[in-house]
Amino acid sequence: MGFMEKILGGRGRSTEDYVELDIDMLGSESAADARNTVYIAEIGGQEDVIAIKDAVYDGDIVIADITRLRTKDHTVEHVMDELRQVAREVDGDIVQKGDDQLIIVPSGMAISREKLNR
């Protein structure tokens, strides 16, 4: 199952199955006024780590697809070590979800290792 399939809820679903919510209906704070952003990233090599590090240093959350790294063992370890170091430096948290996703959060946030529905 691919990265987007996991986010969208599995096979047989597409972006057409979801309804875009009007942000104005949700409250007075707009997305532009948000203090933090959640970024979706794909890591294919060492060069992709720079933008992820910058986002985490800025206090944002990153969900990264590492599917393309699985075949390059040395690169995988180097990337993972670098991102672990970033999480330590900002007093954040990092977790690998399955074989294909990393979630990195900045200071003041933690990633639960338990599922909500259990």
Side-chain angles (χ1 to χ4, degrees):
M1 183 180 296
F3 180 67
M4 289 307 293
E5 287 175 337
K6 286 186 178 183
I7 289 176
L8 295 175
R11 296 185 184 128
R13 295 192 179 226
S14 70
T15 55
E16 289 84 31
D17 294 338
Y18 296 88
V19 175
E20 182 73 27
L21 295 177
D22 183 2
I23 196 78
D24 293 328
M25 293 180 355
L26 299 177
S28 61
E29 184 177 311
S30 70
D33 295 334
R35 290 184 294 165
N36 302 88
T37 304
V38 177
Y39 288 101
I40 307 296
E42 290 184 3
I43 303 175
Q46 189 63 40
E47 65 281 353
D48 298 324
V49 174
I50 297 167
I52 293 170
K53 289 169 64 173
D54 289 343
V56 175
Y57 284 131
D58 288 343
D60 296 319
I61 300 165
V62 178
I63 301 171
D65 179 3
I66 58 171
T67 305
R68 297 188 313 180
L69 287 179
R70 281 193 257 164
T71 59
K72 307 172 191 170
D73 292 338
H74 181 266
T75 304
V76 172
E77 278 305 310
H78 192 67
V79 165
M80 297 289 275
D81 288 342
E82 241 185 289
L83 293 174
R84 278 189 205 107
Q85 180 63 33
V86 169
R88 267 188 236 112
E89 287 175 5
V90 299
D91 196 26
D93 199 2
I94 184 170
V95 68
Q96 182 172 349
K97 183 182 174 295
D99 291 334
D100 59 350
Q101 291 181 7
L102 285 179
I103 302 170
I104 309 115
V105 298
S107 177
M109 297 183 161
I111 303 168
S112 174
R113 274 45 177 190
E114 296 180 26
K115 291 185 178 185
L116 286 177
N117 58 352
R118 289 191 181 210

